[in-house]
Every structure is written in structure tokens, then in C-alpha cells.
Amino acid sequence: MRGLGIPTVIDKVIQYGVAWILGSIYETTFLNTSYGYRKERDAHACLKEVNHMIMQKKINYILDCDIKGFFDNVDHGTMMKCLTQRISDPKFKKIIWKMLKSGIMENGHYQQTDKGTPQGGIISPVLANIYLHYVLDLWVMVKEVKKLRGYVQLVRYADDFIIGVQNKEEAAMLLLNIAERLKQFGLEFSMEKTKIIEFGRFARENRKRRKERKPETFDFLGFTHYCSTTHDGRFSVKVKTSRKKVILAQRSLNQFLKANRHKEVWEVLKVKLRGHYNYYGVSGNFEAIQAYYLKVIQLVFKWKNERSQMKSFTRKAYMRYLLVNPLPKTQINLCTI
């Protein structure tokens, strides 16, 4: 269970104003490889950056990194030092300090917070970007890159990030250095989720020469990235909905239909499907979202017939119903990754 810091209406207005001011101050400071909660830098833009990095740069290894409980472990003192880099107004900083120290309520009991940012707070995303800009982005892309001979690029979306590296030895060294860097600020990697994988243009040939299995994959922003080829045999990076997200989406849908099997949910289902298509409907991922559409059809049929001892539909009658009341069909967005 994670404590949520849901602000009141007045606090939401104040946090929105503070977040807007912080965004205006720091937007020109953030690196171009930083995405998430920034204007015109959504998840699809971040995925395009990852694709461009692997396809166009000298990338042979991916550092697949995961910070353990980032939002729960942000050090308040360090956060204020980061803000002081661009902000001198003590009254403005005091407002942010109070937001960080707002605490949580559990079963009517107030608990103080000595670290972390408010989960559910409007201000948390921009604070996360500021914190990691100084703790991670600048340190990797300005300081550490100078020590390495090969190509290195970091791509970060909020607290999720990967790093493309050219040389294996430098990848291992960089991972250790980042772990040590994070430890200085009270953060740590989730070791079961953090790894170095061989990935890129030559991964398939190298592993084949060593008589190893096909290249590993990595998950980022809900997509599994894997090495593939085009129709004419050229190297290509492709994506599909990650297995974890597929399971979560199906489980959530099943629970929703079970809880609402006596209600009319058709319009809600349409909205859910469109939302799924809008995010996962990227080029190369047609089969995955088509499978999700078919699963929706299957689960609706199941729970429509669980409303009483008598079945509501035969399969043939259900298919006729779908023809008259169709759900949104599988569609791919114009977004090409």
C-alpha cells in the first residue's frame, strides 16, 4: 500500500500555479532526452527517441534501469538544493517545502513525511523532473560521457529511463557508477528489474555466432522492444504491448465487467477501447491490440451470460448484436515509432 497525498481543492489550485511557474522556469533547462510531463513530449515522442537512438546511433547494449520507489524516497533537502539552482525567492521555496511536508492521513491518523513527494499531487511530476535533471541527466550526459570512449545516450520519461551504450565494458562501469550516484541521494536500483542487455544492429549476428538464443528484449513505457528485420532483410526495432500490460489490462477489464454485469456498459467499453488504441495503437503493434479487442468481445459475452441462470445470448445472437451495436474496431494511430 502506498500513501496518497491527495490535495484539497484550494491546494490543487495552488499546486497547479506552482507547477506552472516551475515548468516555465525549468523547461529551457531540461535536456532534450528528458520526456514526461512536458509540453509536446509525451510517451509516443519518447518511444520515437528510443527508436531513433537504436536505429541511427552506435548502440550495442541497453541499460534497462528501474529506480526502486522513486517518488517515495526523494530527499527533501536535496530537492530544495535543486530548486535553489534557479530560484532565489525564499517565500516561493517555503510554499514548496510545505507541500513536501504535507504528510498523509491513514484511518483518521496524520503521519508526517520526511521524504518523498506527494503521491497524487499535481506538483510531483515537475518536481521529479527537476530532481532527476540534476541527480541523473546532467551527471550522465555531461560528466560521465566525457570519461567514455563509446557512444552513450540516456532517454528518460519521468522516473523511468534507459541508457544506450556502445561498449559492453563501459555499460557495466556506467551502471555501477549510476548505482553509486543514486545511493548518495537516498535512491537505489530495483536489482531484479535492472539489467544490461545486448541489443541493436549487431546483436542478432553476435549471438548467432556464439550459438546463443535470439537477442533479449526490454520493456519501456508499456511496450516490449525487440530486434527484428524489414521485408528486405534490413535491421529494425519493433514494439508490441508488453505482456505485463496485457495481463493488467485484461484483468482490469474482467473485474469491471464482473462488477457491472447488471448495468449497461456499452458506451464505457467504447471509451476504454479507444483509450487503449490511442496509446498502444502504434505501427507494428496491430496484432497485440487486435488480440485485446477479441478478448474484450469474449469477456463481454461471458459476463452478459452470467447475469442470471438463463443465458442472455447465444453466440449467434451475440454476433448479430455486435453488428447492430459495434464496438470500435482495432485501429493504428498515425504515430509511427
Side-chain angles (χ1 to χ4, degrees):
M1 298 293 289
R2 175 178 293 173
L4 297 180
I6 307 297
T8 63
V9 174
I10 294 177
D11 287 340
K12 282 183 179 180
V13 174
I14 296 172
Q15 284 198 21
Y16 182 84
V18 171
W20 183 84
I21 293 170
L22 289 175
S24 301
I25 293 172
Y26 282 94
E27 183 59 34
T28 56
T29 303
F30 293 144
L31 301 186
N32 288 332
T33 52
S34 166
Y35 293 80
Y37 311 110
R38 297 178 61 190
K39 292 181 179 179
E40 300 180 4
R41 286 181 167 269
D42 59 10
H44 288 160
C46 186
L47 291 166
K48 285 183 178 180
E49 180 68 27
V50 172
N51 181 277
H52 179 266
M53 175 184 73
I54 298 171
M55 292 291 295
Q56 304 295 330
K57 307 299 181 180
K58 297 178 180 179
I59 299 298
N60 296 315
Y61 296 89
I62 295 291
L63 273 61
D64 186 7
C65 305
D66 184 90
I67 301 177
K68 188 176 181 179
F70 169 75
F71 286 97
D72 295 327
N73 293 289
V74 169
D75 181 77
H76 291 170
T78 303
M79 182 78 257
M80 299 311 296
K81 289 179 181 178
C82 293
L83 293 170
T84 302
Q85 300 295 317
R86 296 293 304 275
I87 300 170
S88 58
D89 186 349
K91 293 183 178 179
F92 186 70
K93 288 190 289 186
K94 188 175 181 179
I95 293 174
I96 299 174
W97 178 257
K98 288 183 176 181
M99 291 176 181
L100 292 172
K101 295 294 185 181
S102 59
I104 59 172
M105 292 284 289
E106 185 175 359
N107 298 324
H109 298 288
Y110 173 76
Q111 296 180 16
Q112 291 185 338
T113 49
D114 57 355
K115 61 181 179 179
T117 59
Q119 293 290 304
I122 297 172
I123 197 173
S124 291
V126 67
L127 289 180
N129 275 338
I130 294 170
Y131 196 85
L132 288 173
H133 171 72
Y134 291 105
V135 171
L136 182 70
D137 298 359
L138 287 178
W139 184 79
V140 171
M141 297 306 296
V142 176
K143 185 176 181 180
E144 285 298 296
V145 164
K146 294 179 180 179
K147 302 177 183 178
L148 307 176
R149 292 173 297 168
Y151 184 82
V152 175
Q153 182 176 335
L154 177 146
V155 179
R156 180 175 63 81
Y157 188 93
D159 62 321
D160 295 327
F161 68 96
I162 62 170
I163 302 177
V165 186
Q166 183 175 357
N167 301 321
K168 184 177 182 179
E169 297 77 11
E170 293 182 341
M173 182 179 70
L174 184 58
L175 188 62
L176 290 174
N177 291 346
I178 295 174
E180 187 62 33
R181 170 76 173 178
L182 293 177
K183 190 181 296 183
Q184 296 174 17
F185 298 94
L187 301 172
E188 62 178 331
F189 280 136
S190 173
M191 297 313 299
E192 63 272 13
K193 297 180 181 179
T194 301
K195 57 188 176 181
I196 300 174
I197 66 170
E198 187 175 20
F199 197 94
R201 188 173 303 278
F202 305 108
R204 187 186 297 271
E205 290 76 9
N206 291 341
R207 295 177 74 86
K208 187 176 181 179
R209 187 173 61 253
R210 298 194 301 264
K211 297 181 179 180
E212 296 176 356
R213 299 178 64 183
K214 60 183 181 180
E216 297 175 271
T217 63
F218 68 92
D219 289 353
F220 187 58
L221 299 183
F223 290 90
T224 297
H225 296 67
Y226 62 97
C227 296
S228 185
T229 56
T230 60
H231 293 298
D232 56 359
R234 291 177 292 119
F235 170 73
S236 176
V237 178
K238 294 186 178 179
V239 298
K240 60 183 178 181
T241 310
S242 72
R243 178 174 174 78
K244 179 180 178 181
K245 294 299 182 181
V246 169
I247 293 173
L248 286 174
Q250 292 180 359
R251 185 179 298 163
S252 175
L253 179 67
N254 188 61
Q255 292 172 349
F256 169 78
L257 290 172
K258 181 180 179 180
N260 295 277
R261 61 185 181 275
H262 298 292
K263 302 177 183 178
E264 181 54 55
V265 296
W266 213 248
E267 292 304 316
V268 178
L269 281 176
K270 291 180 180 180
V271 173
K272 287 181 176 291
L273 275 169
R274 291 193 188 101
H276 191 86
Y277 298 158
N278 286 342
Y279 187 77
Y280 292 105
V282 300
S283 59
N285 197 35
F286 180 83
E287 290 184 5
I289 60 173
Q290 173 70 2
Y292 181 74
Y293 169 78
L294 296 175
K295 188 65 176 180
V296 171
I297 299 298
Q298 176 188 338
L299 288 174
V300 171
F301 178 73
K302 171 188 173 183
W303 288 111
K304 284 288 185 182
N305 282 329
E306 291 286 340
R307 292 183 294 183
S308 66
Q309 293 181 347
M310 294 184 63
K311 289 188 175 182
S312 300
F313 287 108
T314 63
R315 190 162 293 278
K316 184 178 292 186
Y318 180 56
M319 297 310 294
R320 286 199 300 268
Y321 182 81
L322 285 175
L323 288 175
V324 178
N325 303 279
L327 290 171
K329 292 294 181 67
T330 305
Q331 61 184 34
I332 296 294
N333 297 327
L334 296 177
C335 174
T336 302
I337 295 176

